[in-house]
Amino acid sequence: MTTPALARRDFLKASVAVGGGLLIGFRWLTSDAAAGIDAGVGAPAVAGGAAGAAGLAGAAAGAAAAKHAAQFMPNAFVRVGTDGRVTVIINKAEMGQGVTTSLAMLLAEELDADWSRVGFELAPSTPEYGDPIYGMQMTGGSTSIAHMFEPLRHAGATARALLVAAAAQSWGCAAGECSTEPGVVVHAASGRRASYGDLATAAAALPVPTDVPLKDPASFRIIGKAMPRLDTPAKVAGTAIFALDVTRPGMLVAVVAHPPVFGGKVRSVNSEKTLAVPGVKQVVTIGNGVAVVATGFWAAKRGRDVLQVEWDPASDASLSSAALHESYRALSRTPGLVARKEGDAAAALAAAARTIEADYELPYLAHAPMEPLSCVVELRPDGCDIWAGSQFQTVDQGAAAAVIGCKPEQVAVHTTFLGGGFGRRANPVSDYIVEGVQVAAAVGAPVKLIWSREDDLRGGYYRPLWHNRLRAGFDTRGALSAWTHTVVGQSIVAGTVFEAFMVKDGIDDTSVEGAADIPYAIPALQVELHTTQPDVPTLWWRSVGHSHTAFAVESFMDEVAHALGEDPLALRRRLLAGKPRWLGVLDLAAKHAGWGTPLPHDRARGIAVHHSFNSWVAHVAEVSMQDGKPRVHKVVSAVDCGRVVNPDTVVAQVQGAVGFGLTTALYSAITLQDGRVEQSNFHDYRMLRMHEMPEVEVHIVPSEEPATGIGEPGVPPVAPAVCNALFALTGRRIRKLPIRPEDLAGEGSAR
């Protein structure tokens, strides 16, 4: 998605904050944006530092804005108190990725703030806090830093200019004679100094400048430095507020019985036993199930355990993963829609002196965040308030408003901390939010809706099941002459408001990303797509389409290297000639991993490189077999994500991505039988355990290029690096995830 030009910068208000101080509202507008739209001035903090206020624009409006480059592009607020405290109001969800710190660093750098005096609040759901590119309030696609890098720097620079102007006015000198030190304005000629807190009230009364220069990056003292995270103290102390922590006067707790088969409907309900459970207050049939409402979670759960619901079966009650894999395999052998075509791959394959082919299969995957889904809903006569760890505030507003028949701006979403998201808390139909509003409307009281982990694993949204078929041809000289890749799987946006601008000529770009844009120099290349429609709800999942295409592409490239008798690193380097950022991470990871140097006889290395979310990541995995099972000892990673804001965040995100990627490579799979999900909790949907986590060594490529994403790019190369290492060790090819120990026994190619 291209970034529209930000044609003019308007600072809309400067006013004295509650208790005195400087509060500046910012918004970014395209040249044809309507004039005269007021910016809000923030809202008082609520539990956990989350702020809440009414918002504007529903789901459809947000989608349209994202498609048409968003005419109204707001920015964050900065508040400088009379006590010298600087508060950055963060418009992105904090789900552990450290965004509250990194975004605050951008503003604090240009403000020249004293970092020890910087704090944050999570933004209210008002249009001022929409993403400046997508035009809606959301967090996803590894875009937080990339999209907010310049706007927040301008915000900080302008606040600093106002403080300097206030000091100059007070001292009767020119602003150009003044400079700043952290949290202080200085007049060197006279030796006068004034703290930001002392100047805040006067600065609030001054006209806001419109074109303030930014710092030369050479003078950065915060951006690019490892800074302590602002959200850590509250999380360590246990005072950080997640949606599960929120309480409201008179609040009840609800759980929902969902259909056991996707698409099932309620036929009849017998609630006699449920209503006899102490604490149960009501049983309510809602759109997608039956809610049990009680004084607490355990009463609601016990009530649901004895609830008798007869379900109308869905049309796909016989659906199974095995049948899907079989049908996808057959479909991959038929022509699909062409997503990329370079040369004549079919002719090149037909003329090839030698060909190889392979099928790569990947299962459905759940997001499985550590904090289960929940929200608190409280109705008002003119709307409602929602407390949730939301990644999709604008869409949630529109969905909630549709339930109770009010305008989206009458719904306030108070964003709390998130205990993991990975895309699950950003779904187009706002499933758990809608259920919370439906139940609250039915019972006439504040309601905390909780999905247990079992509820989410068996009735949530999933990364699609995928089949990738690849073929390669070699000419008479032994050179790689042809490459075809057929992708089979579901679209994650089909049937949603996003389909209109994310699906082009029948191709969902997210299905083929990482395949249709591979960088390797291959004379003839063709990528095709078959989009399937089983009745299984699918959704973006950490790294989206790259999560399956990288496994197929980087594993098959390893197969090509071995077929040519060439070192896998050397082949990649040759086919990536002239692509410096690809080569940069590849060479850096290989160097620090000691690629080519001897290892003990029971260990081997594998390599993979991938580009996603405008960042480049290479992994070298070192593996062995222990007790008949694969063991990953070390992963050496190199990352190029442009200019780095907080190096500690980059390292942490890559480390987390390795753990996340290993979980899916070694353990995770959602399987269907008779239309039902077979997994229910972490005992049969395994997570990587702490003792299984390898050493992860992260190297960052120094760069002055624009900042890009880091939350997701580390995931895609993990599985192929590990599987390539296992091949080097065992001679067995893993072409189906998750890895099973039995696939590594014996000799020759595995599944």
Side-chain angles (χ1 to χ4, degrees):
M1 185 174 292
T2 57
T3 303
L6 302 179
R8 66 185 179 98
R9 307 179 179 104
D10 284 351
F11 293 92
L12 299 175
K13 287 188 178 180
S15 61
V16 178
V18 176
L22 175 65
L23 178 68
I24 305 176
F26 305 91
R27 66 170 177 157
W28 300 85
L29 300 176
T30 55
S31 58
D32 57 346
I37 302 176
D38 266 345
V41 294
V46 296
L56 179 64
K67 178 180 179 182
H68 297 296
Q71 292 185 347
F72 183 67
M73 298 183 179
N75 194 354
F77 292 116
V78 55
R79 184 168 66 243
V80 180
T82 54
D83 60 355
R85 292 286 302 174
V86 173
T87 302
V88 182
I89 303 176
I90 305 296
N91 66 337
K92 299 294 181 177
E94 176 60 82
M95 54 190 118
Q97 80 277 38
V99 71
T100 46
T101 303
S102 298
L103 293 183
M105 288 172 65
L106 294 171
L107 192 144
E109 177 68 70
E110 295 291 345
L111 178 58
D112 207 5
D114 177 352
W115 184 252
S116 69
R117 306 283 288 162
V118 175
F120 72 90
E121 290 179 3
L122 299 178
S125 53
T126 63
E128 290 73 35
Y129 296 103
D131 182 279
I133 306 303
Y134 294 145
M136 56 192 291
Q137 194 172 359
M138 61 160 290
T139 306
S142 299
T143 58
S144 295
I145 296 297
H147 288 187
M148 298 306 299
F149 193 92
E150 293 299 323
L152 283 175
R153 289 183 63 202
H154 281 284
T158 303
R160 176 178 173 273
L162 282 167
L163 292 162
V164 168
Q169 185 180 73
S170 173
W171 297 333
C173 66
E177 298 175 18
C178 300
S179 61
T180 58
E181 297 174 1
V184 179
V185 179
V186 178
H187 185 247
S190 65
R192 285 176 290 194
R193 301 167 62 87
S195 72
Y196 286 178
D198 292 339
L199 296 167
T201 301
L206 297 177
V208 181
T210 58
D211 194 13
V212 178
L214 299 177
K215 282 185 178 182
D216 182 336
S219 67
F220 285 167
R221 64 176 184 83
I222 294 178
I223 293 176
K225 307 299 189 297
M227 305 300 284
R229 281 180 54 156
L230 300 178
D231 57 330
T232 297
K235 290 178 177 177
V236 171
T239 58
I241 299 298
F242 296 79
L244 282 170
D245 300 315
V246 175
T247 61
R248 303 298 298 164
M251 186 182 75
L252 298 172
V253 175
V255 299
V256 177
H258 295 108
V261 175
F262 299 120
K265 302 294 182 184
V266 177
R267 178 181 293 172
S268 65
V269 179
N270 184 338
S271 58
E272 182 178 353
K273 292 180 179 179
T274 297
L275 292 171
V277 173
V280 172
K281 296 298 184 183
Q282 292 189 50
V283 174
V284 179
T285 299
I286 58 175
N288 193 40
V290 182
V292 178
V293 186
T295 54
F297 173 76
W298 290 111
K301 183 183 181 301
R302 284 193 296 268
R304 187 180 63 177
D305 288 344
V306 296
L307 183 67
Q308 296 176 326
V309 183
E310 185 178 359
W311 303 94
D312 276 332
S315 58
D316 273 352
S318 62
L319 193 66
S320 75
S321 297
L324 284 175
H325 279 301
E326 184 178 346
S327 66
Y328 283 18
R329 184 180 181 89
L331 196 56
S332 72
R333 277 131 175 89
T334 65
L337 295 177
V338 177
R340 180 180 175 186
K341 182 177 175 64
E342 301 286 342
D344 191 336
L349 282 173
R354 180 187 175 198
T355 63
I356 62 172
E357 63 180 69
D359 292 85
Y360 295 91
E361 296 181 359
L362 300 97
Y364 287 110
L365 293 174
H367 302 78
M370 288 291 133
E371 179 201 8
L373 302 176
S374 66
C375 65
V376 172
V377 179
E378 185 171 29
L379 299 181
R380 294 181 265 104
D382 63 341
C384 73
D385 288 86
I386 299 170
W387 287 262
S390 174
Q391 292 180 248
F392 235 13
Q393 292 90 339
T394 299
V395 173
D396 290 344
Q397 282 180 293
V403 172
I404 58 176
C406 70
K407 298 177 181 179
E409 60 264 34
Q410 294 173 293
V411 175
V413 177
H414 308 267
T415 305
T416 64
F417 286 117
L418 289 68
F422 318 121
R424 178 64 181 92
R425 303 177 200 269
N427 68 82
V429 299
S430 303
D431 57 351
Y432 68 104
I433 300 291
V434 165
E435 287 186 353
V437 178
Q438 288 173 332
V439 176
V443 303
V447 167
K448 177 184 289 183
L449 180 91
I450 299 174
W451 282 41
S452 68
R453 198 172 314 286
E454 290 86 351
D455 294 336
D456 193 26
L457 285 180
R458 288 188 162 171
Y461 281 81
Y462 308 96
R463 197 282 305 271
L465 178 149
W466 293 103
H467 189 99
N468 292 261
R469 182 183 185 230
L470 292 97
R471 301 181 69 199
F474 307 94
D475 62 22
T476 54
R477 296 175 293 112
L480 178 62
S481 59
W483 175 289
T484 64
H485 186 170
T486 301
V487 176
V488 184
Q490 289 173 254
S491 166
I492 60 173
V493 299
T496 75
V497 294
F498 301 100
E499 182 176 6
F501 59 93
M502 292 181 71
V503 177
K504 303 170 185 176
D505 299 323
I507 294 175
D508 180 346
D509 288 341
T510 68
S511 296
V512 294
E513 59 187 1
D517 55 350
I518 65 169
Y520 296 113
I522 304 170
L525 182 150
Q526 187 155 318
V527 179
E528 299 180 355
L529 173 66
H530 291 280
T531 299
T532 61
Q533 296 180 313
D535 192 15
V536 180
T538 60
L539 184 64
W540 31 77
W541 182 93
R542 189 177 184 181
S543 75
V544 200
H546 299 281
S547 69
H548 75 96
T549 57
F551 174 60
V553 169
E554 285 300 291
S555 295
F556 195 58
M557 186 56 67
D558 204 73
E559 296 204 40
V560 168
H562 285 280
L564 291 172
E566 193 166 352
D567 176 81
L569 171 62
L571 175 64
R572 286 175 170 83
R573 295 197 81 261
R574 182 162 57 80
L575 297 180
L576 292 170
K579 295 181 170 59
R581 299 185 80 173
W582 286 86
L583 291 171
V585 293
L586 198 59
D587 289 345
L588 189 61
K591 171 188 172 184
H592 287 282
W595 186 268
T597 61
L599 281 172
H601 74 279
D602 60 346
R603 294 197 183 189
R605 298 186 186 98
I607 195 166
V609 62
H610 196 71
H611 171 258
S612 62
F613 306 95
N614 295 316
S615 294
W616 289 259
V617 176
H619 293 317
V620 176
E622 183 178 318
V623 308
S624 73
M625 294 293 292
Q626 294 184 357
D627 300 323
K629 299 178 181 179
R631 170 68 171 162
V632 182
H633 297 275
K634 185 176 183 179
V635 176
V636 176
S637 306
V639 57
D640 179 351
C641 56
R643 186 177 295 279
V644 170
V645 177
N646 190 344
D648 279 359
T649 297
V650 174
V651 171
Q653 284 296 285
V654 175
Q655 291 171 334
V658 169
F660 194 89
L662 283 178
T663 290
T664 60
L666 297 173
Y667 301 120
S668 299
I670 290 292
T671 58
L672 304 172
Q673 185 62 43
D674 297 327
R676 289 165 166 78
V677 172
E678 296 184 292
Q679 292 69 35
S680 63
N681 210 314
F682 287 156
H683 70 288
D684 54 6
Y685 191 79
R686 272 280 314 267
M687 297 287 110
L688 193 76
R689 306 294 173 85
M690 291 182 68
H691 72 277
E692 297 171 313
M693 184 68 188
E695 175 189 354
V696 181
E697 182 180 306
V698 182
H699 300 274
I700 302 171
V701 176
S703 177
E704 296 180 3
E705 294 295 323
T708 52
I710 195 57
E712 297 168 274
V715 174
V718 173
V722 169
C723 291
N724 292 341
L726 288 171
F727 173 79
L729 181 68
T730 69
R732 301 280 288 175
R733 277 289 173 200
I734 300 298
R735 300 193 182 103
K736 184 175 183 179
L737 297 180
I739 301 166
R740 299 186 307 184
E742 56 264 36
D743 291 333
L744 295 168
E747 298 181 359
S749 294
R751 295 178 289 170

